[in-house]
Amino acid sequence: MSERALVSALGARAVELDAADELAGLREQFVLDDVVYLDGNSLGALSAGVPGRVDDVVRRQWGELRIRSWEESGWWTAPERIGDRIAPLVGAAAGQIVVGDSTSVNVFKALVGAVRLAGEGRDEILVDATTFPTDGYIAASAARMTGCELRPVDPDEVTSALGSRTAAVLLNHVDYRTGRCFDLPSLTSAIHAAGAVSVWDLCHSAGALPVGLDEHGVDLAVGCTYKYLNGGPGSPAYLYVRAGLQDRFDSPLPGWNSHADPFGMSPSYAPASGALRGRVGTPDILSMLALEAALEVWDGVSIDSVRAKSLALTDFFLECVSAYVPEGRVESVTPSAHAERGSQVALRCADAGTVMKRLIDNGVVGDFRHPDILRFGFTPLYVGFADTERAARVLAETLS
């Protein structure tokens, strides 16, 4: 088949796939332009409902009601209310997620809390050796503070590394570089069999694929909200504490907002019950309520449908890349097996930084990870198959 015919055939397939896409209508709920935006795994697109909500929060709730909004506008209950909105997207029942602080702060709370839950005689923390750097930094600090030894291990070696000394294990559900999805159910089961506590980082999976926190008995989990959940730059992260552990969860950051009687101003600390133990200080209301508005796009959306489209998009992208890009110019480091793939495709490419700059100049926005990775994130709520075909075609033109 000639190059022109191949492009025509794949382009026609993209049109057919978009026409059959049950999620295609959601694209209208985002502020988008003609750019192919494949960087939602770093920062999700703006939901069309957010600007109006933020305007109301600033002008009416803050500008007119002022301090009355803590009660009348529901500011005080926002962390747990928004947590309950996120819960179905990660397979959790209500009352187990609290929103607030950054992912880094929540990793610290979860990891130190996990060591305390593990109890006496366990003095070792296992951490994914390929993790996002901050998780590693936090894990090292948590180990020093709790008197534990930190052992970085490859995710494939976690099961064999577990032992009677292991207190907690911090793992990423999806690798931020390669897009590899790890086996959360079996790893969680192995961690529990060893008597340790599981802590999962969901930054690159929440909103892109099913997680099943309750189903698989995950103990603690954290995640950001500005990637596939489209909460906006710096939007607050969240902390999940399994219901059966909440009465024993001992946060290393006991702030007034997590006190059983926050306005009692007692000099001694008594923790609140439930997920509220994960709160610390005054919530960041402006960004939190922007996140709440952004999450409304998920009303009635099945995470299983999102996952099905994600896999279809990444399959189609890999097919188009294989068809369009000259052989040997790129190599996919993202697993081909669906069970091992997140919602991104990472391609190894010589001079990847320069290539990505040229792609962006030509209307395809992904990102670059040192030293040689082109990273393309597929957000099923607003990325279509025509976008996918165009991105592969522009990549081929860039590399020709």
Side-chain angles (χ1 to χ4, degrees):
M1 185 181 293
S2 70
E3 181 178 342
R4 179 175 295 181
L6 185 61
V7 169
S8 179
L10 288 172
R13 270 191 52 208
V15 171
E16 292 174 359
L17 289 167
D18 279 332
D21 175 17
E22 63 179 296
L23 301 178
L26 293 172
R27 185 185 181 100
E28 298 176 359
Q29 297 189 42
F30 292 89
V31 178
L32 297 165
D33 49 26
D34 189 47
V35 166
V36 178
Y37 189 65
L38 301 182
D39 210 5
N41 53 332
S42 280
L43 177 64
L46 172 65
S47 170
V50 170
R53 182 67 58 81
V54 171
D55 184 74
D56 178 71
V57 172
V58 171
R59 295 181 185 278
R60 184 182 64 84
Q61 295 181 31
W62 179 16
E64 297 177 14
L65 296 178
R66 293 177 287 277
I67 201 167
R68 291 163 52 194
S69 275
W70 285 105
E71 289 190 11
E72 295 180 29
S73 300
W75 288 2
W76 184 257
T77 58
E80 58 267 28
R81 182 179 72 243
I82 302 172
D84 285 347
R85 265 196 173 274
I86 293 171
L89 303 179
V90 292
Q96 298 176 99
I97 294 179
V98 64
V99 173
D101 305 311
S102 68
T103 306
S104 302
V105 171
N106 283 312
V107 168
F108 177 75
K109 294 181 211 171
L111 201 50
V112 174
V115 173
R116 292 174 175 177
L117 285 167
E120 297 293 328
R122 293 181 175 269
D123 60 356
E124 177 184 78
I125 296 172
L126 300 185
V127 63
D128 176 356
T130 63
T131 190
F132 187 77
T134 293
D135 284 21
Y137 306 155
I138 296 291
S141 178
R144 291 194 301 272
M145 293 182 64
T146 57
C148 287
E149 176 187 350
L150 182 67
R151 286 183 61 197
V153 296
D154 188 281
D156 291 326
E157 299 172 358
V158 167
T159 300
S160 60
L162 290 163
S164 59
R165 291 180 53 202
T166 310
V169 183
L170 172 62
L171 297 171
N172 292 272
H173 193 193
V174 173
D175 186 290
Y176 79 101
R177 291 187 186 91
T178 67
R180 179 183 176 187
C181 182
F182 294 102
D183 190 343
L184 180 148
S186 67
L187 285 169
T188 300
S189 179
I191 292 166
H192 288 166
V197 179
S198 60
V199 181
W200 284 93
D201 184 328
L202 309 178
C203 285
H204 286 269
S205 56
L209 58 117
V211 177
L213 293 178
D214 287 353
E215 177 185 358
H216 303 304
V218 168
D219 299 311
L220 302 163
V222 302
C224 67
T225 60
Y226 47 78
K227 300 183 191 298
Y228 297 108
L229 297 180
N230 310 298
S235 57
Y238 57 90
L239 170 68
Y240 164 90
V241 181
R242 179 160 56 87
L245 298 177
Q246 289 177 357
D247 64 343
R248 294 192 293 122
F249 179 70
D250 182 8
S251 174
L253 295 173
W256 78 282
N257 243 244
S258 62
H259 197 285
D261 182 14
F263 293 99
M265 301 302 165
S266 170
S268 60
Y269 181 73
S273 59
L276 272 67
R277 289 190 178 199
R279 293 173 68 151
V280 183
T282 304
D284 186 343
I285 290 298
L286 298 184
S287 61
M288 189 167 292
L289 297 186
L291 166 63
E292 184 173 36
L295 289 171
E296 291 178 0
V297 74
W298 288 94
D299 290 347
V301 177
S302 161
I303 195 66
D304 290 326
S305 296
V306 170
R307 175 59 166 166
K309 182 177 176 182
S310 164
L311 292 171
L313 285 167
T314 50
D315 277 345
F316 188 56
F317 181 67
L318 288 168
E319 180 184 353
C320 291
V321 167
S322 178
Y324 293 163
V325 176
E327 187 174 352
R329 295 304 306 275
V330 298
E331 173 196 1
S332 176
V333 297
T334 299
S336 58
H338 283 182
E340 298 177 10
R341 188 193 308 165
S343 198
Q344 72 179 52
V345 172
L347 302 177
R348 180 167 286 123
C349 174
D351 202 14
T354 299
V355 170
M356 183 52 70
K357 289 179 182 178
R358 292 172 61 194
L359 283 172
I360 292 171
D361 288 342
N362 286 287
V364 175
V365 178
D367 64 20
F368 159 67
R369 285 293 176 266
H370 185 80
D372 58 0
I373 296 296
L374 299 172
R375 203 174 65 149
F376 302 95
F378 292 81
T379 304
L381 299 185
Y382 54 77
V383 173
F385 292 90
D387 297 321
T388 302
E389 186 273 338
R390 177 182 161 194
R393 183 161 29 88
V394 173
L395 175 60
E397 293 167 357
T398 301
L399 293 174
S400 61

